[in-house]
Amino acid sequence: MFKIKKKADKPKPTILYNVIEDYSEFDAPGNVTACAMTQQEDLPGHAKVLSESYEVPLETMTTLLTEGGVYVYPQIGGLLTGGLFACFIDPIGGTPKQTFVLDLMQFAEAEQLARARSLALPDAAFQIFTRTLPEELKGKLAQKNLGLDYRTLDRAVAKGGDIKYIDFRKDWSPHFKRLCIMPDGRLVETGGLEEFAQLHGITPAQAKALVEQGGTLEVNSEILACQIVNGQPAVARFTAKNYLKAKELAAAKGLHIMDALSEVAYSDPVMMRALARKELSGGR
């Protein structure tokens, strides 16, 4: 008899979040995406993803997610180039575990607050972080489970019970999607740089440079334009025809190509409909 070889099942990707609250359009430094999970934490998977995202050693990240605390980014050439990563765990369990990052200025404020009020640095960091958040998000954090009505949630989300942890993220992750306006008016979701690069037929290095620095990138006679708003990338792809219009407009009016592309987009009904849908979706 012939034996039929069963294909080995591919390992399922780690599912980190099932509740997403997007505040990335808010003023910095409070422009975060609150990524929460109602199911039990997959600690190894959670630690691995956050370790890679924030360049924190895996062992250190695992300890932080278990015990709470902060990781201060090391100095380079005697200079601080990063702030800190923190994991806040409520000692009485009244609120879910929360992770966040402070930039250099916030880190300095946290150190000053810790000295002035004789606080532990993690507690000072948590106070500095939460005071900058949008008022709406502050209100939700004051409520159990972000004030979610579990009767209206997807069953798979609701059956997990209370929220176990919240990661306040500003990066671009495969675990939550960003939207790109395509030339035909579609809004396409991508998660992470590799998926974004594949969608547009560019290299991961090109994708990384575009979404981190902003600007434009020509792709097969079309053009990708990325504007950084409050540290968040907003991306649109223009047809060759619209790209030509933008170049002509830039030359005629002495505009920067990004400004010219914006004018072209606002005069294009297809792209404007896509932009309106993007706004309705929360601006991701």
Side-chain angles (χ1 to χ4, degrees), residues 146 209 219 226 246:
L146 297 174
V219 184
C226 177

Side-chain angles (χ1 to χ4, degrees), residues 36 39 55 70 87 112 146 157-158 173 197 253 259 269 280:
Q39 297 175 11
E55 298 181 352
V70 300
C87 178
Q112 186 177 12
L146 297 174
V157 177
S173 167
K253 293 187 176 182
D259 295 325
L280 288 173

Side-chain angles (χ1 to χ4, degrees), residues 259-279:
D259 295 325
L261 286 167
S262 293
E263 284 201 25
V264 169
Y266 283 122
S267 64
D268 185 309
V270 173
M271 296 195 77
M272 281 305 296
R273 284 196 294 271
L275 183 60
R277 292 199 306 276
K278 187 172 186 289
E279 293 297 325

Side-chain angles (χ1 to χ4, degrees), residues 199-222:
L199 172 67
H200 295 290
I202 59 178
T203 67
Q206 288 174 314
K208 186 174 189 295
L210 184 67
V211 301
E212 288 183 357
Q213 301 169 21
T216 60
L217 179 67
E218 291 189 9
V219 184
N220 299 327
S221 77
E222 297 184 340

Side-chain angles (χ1 to χ4, degrees), residues 20-94:
I20 305 291
E21 296 279 342
D22 187 5
Y23 292 88
S24 59
E25 297 293 315
F26 189 75
D27 292 339
N31 53 327
V32 298
T33 301
C35 306
M37 183 55 148
T38 62
Q39 297 175 11
Q40 288 300 320
E41 179 184 25
D42 173 2
L43 182 60
H46 193 192
K48 182 176 184 295
V49 169
L50 293 189
S51 170
E52 293 170 352
S53 297
Y54 295 112
E55 298 181 352
V56 175
L58 179 58
E59 185 176 345
T60 301
M61 181 62 75
T62 302
T63 301
L64 288 173
L65 292 178
T66 304
E67 303 173 2
V70 300
Y71 172 80
V72 178
Y73 287 96
Q75 295 183 5
I76 298 177
L79 296 174
L80 280 173
T81 58
L84 62 76
F85 174 90
C87 178
F88 176 79
I89 298 178
D90 187 342
I92 61 173

Side-chain angles (χ1 to χ4, degrees), residues 98-144:
Q98 299 172 48
T99 71
F100 56 90
V101 174
L102 296 189
D103 60 26
L104 276 173
M105 186 173 293
Q106 290 175 300
F107 176 34
E109 291 175 357
E111 286 192 310
Q112 186 177 12
L113 181 64
R115 287 193 297 268
R117 298 188 183 177
S118 300
L119 296 174
L121 184 56
D123 295 330
F126 186 69
Q127 288 191 31
I128 293 297
F129 171 72
T130 53
R131 73 169 55 163
T132 65
L133 295 176
E135 290 301 322
E136 181 183 342
L137 181 53
K138 287 181 185 177
K140 289 185 177 183
L141 288 170
Q143 303 175 62
K144 186 175 181 179

